[in-house]
Amino acid sequence: MALRLYNTMSRTKEEFVPLHPPQARLYCCGPTVYNYAHIGNLRTYIFEDILRRTLRYNGYDVLHVMNVTDVGHMTTDADEGDDKMDLAAKREGKSPWELARFYEEAFFQDTARLNIERPDVTPRATEHIVEMIEIVQKLEAQGYTYLTSEAIYFDTSCDDDYGKLARLNLADQRQGARVEVIADETKRNPSDFVLWFRNKPTHIMKWESPWGVGYPGWHIECSAMSSRYLGETFDIHCGGVDHIPVHHTNEIAQSECASGHPFVRYWMHGEFLLMNSAKISKSTGGSINRLQSLIDSGYDPLAYRYLCLQAHYRSELNFSLDAIDAATTGLRKLYSVRPESDPFLSDEAGYQEAHDRVLEALNDDLGMPQAVGLLHSYNSHRLWVNFDVVLGLDIAKRTEPRTEELPADIQSLIEQRNIARKAKNWAESDTLRNTLLECGYEVGDGPQGTTVKKRIL
Ligand code: AMP
Ligand code: ZN
């Protein structure tokens, strides 16, 4: 049964055919680690995790790369404002390196709680400066750049294909340029973008380059790290829909002009999560947008994952407390499905037919809501458990009777943590959470106090 994926480039569903079977090479734009991820960001990583697991279910050997942006992402996607990392470091009185490592760890802690599998390679931008400089040099040698007092820019007027992903109309944009105020007046066209910043003495993170001491533009890092680990042309590139008009458009321009080859075969984009029908912001939002705040309110992180599975990745999803309450109820219902009352106990043909229908839904551009709907209607424990390698909801573990008691030292840590939380001693409670995590236990906060489950990652 063929796997079909919606390709943003062609605006159609296409059969997935990898370049190097049985491998499927996947690149996902990773977090900018200047703050905690919000649950909107996490929705995109859940979508990418479902894609990875679906590819694997279809027999592909997935090579998954996700960068960590620890330098060079400005406060707007279009190079303007200050570097997010630099700004946050100054705000929190830490070095940008300390800040980046702290939020990177917090990010991987959140994704692990959501059963998002860790990508095979998670390169950091600051560790790939050499590769970035090499691409800029290739572009410069071929005449795609110009140098100003501020930066070396990519000249979009030299690239006939510029804007093909977003189907941008450059003629309109250039006309607009006459009236538009361009933040940096050394820039020639509104769509031109920075490859390398120079002459920014107050910037904390900086490196030597052929264009002087400075730091990379944001887009160049993904071009450099994707080709470093996946080759100049690879199978799938993902991100949120906000990346279509600027970030991915610019990645394509610089990668294809530098290498002379097509960059990516399938572009996939996840739609946004809205919060009570409004936009979520990582820079301005309070802690209400974090996974941790859901956990503190007693929600199971997997209820959030389950909520995301109920909407198609190409549809907006509105988050509200009613929605997560409904997802919690739905998840409990599915955890109550018993193996002994499986409708397919002695009906192998029935099981196969049901299996194929669920797979067909999944392979139709990750039709997860349809797949979950079918799984609920079949109400088969065996089928749920089989597809849990894609769903990632810990179904076998949560539906099996508990056989092993927790070790005494773990029980003692749980008791200490309950006492700390009752006394509102959050620092102590967090330390105990970390100790439990180090012992291999995921920590949750249920109505009866601390709950733990053994980690699978
Ligand atoms: P950032 O850390 O800001 O670079 O974003 C990380 C990922 O989250 C990117 O793929 C974004 O496209 C995605 N993203 C940002 N906001 C949302 C949102 N509200 N809903 C879903 N995905 C988002
Ligand atoms: Zn990227």
Side-chain angles (χ1 to χ4, degrees), residues 27-30 67 218-219 222 237 243 247-248 251:
Y27 184 88
C28 300
C29 290
N67 65 299
W218 170 40
H219 318 299
C222 286
H237 193 318
H243 286 346
H247 183 50
H248 290 167
E251 276 187 46

Side-chain angles (χ1 to χ4, degrees), residues 8 15-16 30 34 92 113 115 171 182 195 275 284 288 290 299 323 334 336 367 369 408 443:
T8 308
E15 184 174 338
F16 175 66
Y34 69 104
E92 296 193 20
R113 286 158 159 174
N115 280 351
I182 304 179
L195 297 164
M275 174 76 78
T284 54
I288 186 82
R290 288 179 49 200
Y299 292 106
L334 104 76
S336 70
V443 178

Side-chain angles (χ1 to χ4, degrees), residues 30-32 38 40-41 44-45 73 239-240 242-243 271-273 280 282:
T32 308
H38 61 56
N41 303 129
T44 292
Y45 298 108
H73 187 171
D242 56 324
H243 286 346
E271 249 303 344
F272 263 32
L273 181 84
I280 316 175
K282 184 145 89 172

Side-chain angles (χ1 to χ4, degrees), residues 358-375:
V358 177
L359 183 58
E360 201 178 324
L362 206 56
N363 278 357
D364 181 10
D365 190 32
L366 314 182
M368 190 49 88
Q370 295 78 358
V372 168
L374 284 167
L375 285 162

Side-chain angles (χ1 to χ4, degrees), residues 275-295:
M275 174 76 78
N276 294 315
S277 308
K279 196 171 174 287
I280 316 175
S281 159
K282 184 145 89 172
S283 331
T284 54
S287 62
I288 186 82
N289 300 336
R290 288 179 49 200
L291 183 65
Q292 184 60 51
S293 56
L294 288 183
I295 296 172

Side-chain angles (χ1 to χ4, degrees), residues 114-141:
L114 290 167
N115 280 351
I116 294 171
E117 293 179 4
R118 204 175 165 118
D120 304 289
V121 195
T122 52
R124 293 177 180 138
T126 51
E127 292 165 8
H128 294 78
I129 300 291
V130 173
E131 287 88 339
M132 297 184 211
I133 290 175
E134 270 170 26
I135 298 187
V136 183
Q137 282 178 309
K138 273 193 197 162
L139 291 170
E140 190 179 33

